[in-house]
Amino acid sequence: MLLTILGGCGAWPAAGQACSGYLVEHDGFRLLVDPGYATVPRLLERITADQVDAVFISHGHPDHCADLNPLLRARALRDDPPAPLPVYSLPSALDAVLALDRPGMLTDAYVLHEFNAGDQIAIGPFRAQTRLLPHSVPNAGIRLTAGERVLTYTGDTGPSPDVVDLAHGADLLLAEATFVDRVPQGSRRHLSSARQAGRQAKEADARRLLLTHLQPGTDATAARAAAEAEYDGEIGIATSGLTIDLS
Ligand SMILES: [Zn+2]
């Protein structure tokens, strides 16, 4: 299983960067997880739009799904459009982004597979166990298994035993860490810090931890140090272009 980070900014894309976007490949199958703001130009530096085999979206916030629109445009507006793109999301999560263009323009470009959090779904060679994790809108964390490797991604979430459960023994925990240490009062149930991500990686006994969704301006060194205070394993920061081979 090969993971390529397209972007790792939380909330909005910093100069020259992109929001959440992760390309996960196994056996030639390319799964795009969370096409957030500015991720499509990063994607198109690597592959063509028609080479994406499926998309999984954790929740409907635009920093996680806005670039579904340019991805679908890049497929639909070709002279020879590829087959409809399978898109997996929670019910109604994509209503807004799918309504950006005039009705019907992109209808043939995708097939929407809405799942309920808790469902286990098959996406190409991946088994995907989903779980509802606490956020300000419904958010599905995902445990992706392929070729005996496991990648767990939180989407956006406050701390929860369900994160630990979903990441149990994972080869990599890709964890939202909007803040370094202190989470503002109003966000405590819905977002996490790098320290909390480290604590949950330890509790889950995950092999590696990759911090993502850092709010622009966050000191990445401080975020890593906060996670290191809780977790002994290897810790990285998700930045555009980073590739991790989990095999
Ligand atoms: Zn969110």
Side-chain angles (χ1 to χ4, degrees):
M1 199 190 302
L2 187 68
L3 168 68
T4 300
I5 307 298
L6 302 173
C9 292
W12 72 92
Q17 297 185 46
C19 282
S20 289
Y22 315 100
L23 184 63
V24 188
E25 299 173 71
H26 181 75
D27 262 356
F29 190 95
R30 296 181 172 104
L31 171 63
L32 175 61
V33 176
D34 277 6
Y37 295 124
T39 52
V40 160
R42 306 286 177 182
L43 177 78
L44 297 181
E45 287 173 343
R46 291 166 176 79
I47 60 174
T48 57
D50 62 294
Q51 289 176 322
V52 178
D53 293 302
V55 176
F56 175 92
I57 293 173
S58 62
H59 66 294
H61 281 156
D63 54 331
H64 294 257
C65 69
D67 269 25
L68 181 62
N69 177 262
L71 177 63
L72 295 179
R73 281 178 159 226
R75 294 169 67 104
L77 300 179
R78 288 168 36 141
D79 291 338
D80 54 341
L85 178 65
V87 177
Y88 296 82
S89 82
L90 292 171
S92 301
L94 304 181
D95 288 358
V97 70
L98 291 175
L100 286 173
D101 274 307
R102 66 175 162 75
M105 178 177 150
L106 299 177
T107 306
D108 294 337
Y110 64 90
V111 178
L112 187 58
H113 299 275
E114 292 183 330
F115 62 88
N116 293 305
D119 286 354
Q120 180 161 312
I121 47 184
I123 307 177
F126 297 99
R127 275 185 293 128
Q129 178 63 56
T130 65
R131 184 74 61 90
L132 188 67
L133 298 178
H135 193 43
S136 51
V137 298
N139 169 71
I142 187 173
R143 177 183 177 95
L144 279 172
T145 303
E148 300 183 353
R149 296 294 177 213
V150 175
L151 164 62
T152 294
Y153 169 55
T154 61
D156 288 354
T157 181
S160 165
D162 286 331
V163 174
V164 176
D165 202 31
L166 206 58
H168 180 70
D171 294 283
L172 177 70
L173 170 57
L174 177 60
E176 174 257 308
T178 305
F179 306 99
V180 172
D181 207 336
R182 294 197 51 215
V183 180
Q185 182 70 39
S187 299
R188 282 185 191 162
R189 289 191 306 139
H190 304 140
L191 291 169
S192 293
S193 68
R195 179 179 294 274
Q196 288 166 332
R199 193 174 303 147
Q200 297 200 121
K202 178 185 173 70
E203 291 173 5
D205 199 22
R207 282 184 51 211
R208 299 169 79 167
L209 171 64
L210 196 60
L211 303 172
T212 190
H213 202 274
L214 276 64
Q215 186 140 310
T218 299
D219 180 345
T221 304
R224 185 194 299 261
E228 278 172 351
E230 303 285 343
Y231 173 67
D232 292 333
E234 184 179 338
I235 299 172
I237 306 285
T239 51
S240 294
L242 177 67
T243 295
I244 296 178
D245 187 349
L246 294 181
S247 61

